[in-house]
Amino acid sequence: MRAYHRLTEGERNQVYALKKAGLTQCAIADQICVNKSTICRELTEAMQLHLNEISKQVDTKAHAVVLMDQAGWHSTGKLKIPKNLTIIMLPRKSPELNPVENI
């Protein structure tokens, strides 16, 4: 079993490219020689940073809604959703509702 280590910027870029190419977390982990849990942690951390950045852009008297598919790192209980955001999860297997799937 491979030990957990933080990914380098280059490895993170590889994860992004491989995920975009449609590889699973297991396949990505094998490709860059890390444990699958490392990929999961990194994707969750990236999602948290993304939500925090969205939250900063919302006016102090406003509230934002964020639509997300049900990727594991979108729906993990480890995310701390900022108080000025509401997450709405798209139904499973509905790429027609997710414009990113049509690019």
Side-chain angles (χ1 to χ4, degrees):
M1 183 177 197
R2 298 179 202 120
Y4 172 70
H5 75 275
R6 308 253 341 143
L7 297 183
T8 65
E9 185 177 347
E11 289 170 325
R12 283 189 187 98
N13 289 336
Q14 268 187 293
V15 169
Y16 175 76
L18 295 170
K19 192 69 185 146
K20 192 167 180 118
L23 273 72
T24 65
Q25 288 184 34
C26 286
I28 293 169
D30 288 343
Q31 184 86 21
I32 63 173
C33 300
V34 297
N35 192 293
K36 179 186 170 202
S37 64
T38 299
I39 303 301
C40 185
R41 279 188 204 100
E42 292 290 336
L43 292 171
T44 299
E45 184 177 306
M47 189 68 227
Q48 186 66 62
L49 293 171
H50 187 65
L51 289 174
N52 293 348
E53 190 58 36
I54 292 170
S55 176
K56 288 179 194 174
Q57 302 304 316
V58 176
D59 189 86
T60 56
K61 295 181 182 177
H63 192 86
V65 173
V66 179
L67 296 174
M68 290 196 265
D69 62 20
Q70 295 196 30
W73 60 92
H74 291 167
S75 57
T76 178
K78 295 177 183 178
L79 289 175
K80 294 177 180 87
I81 309 301
K83 293 186 187 293
N84 63 342
L85 298 181
T86 294
I87 307 300
I88 296 178
M89 302 305 273
L90 295 172
R92 291 189 188 278
K93 300 187 184 209
S94 55
E96 69 281 1
L97 298 176
N98 189 352
V100 138
E101 299 290 344
N102 298 314
I103 295 176

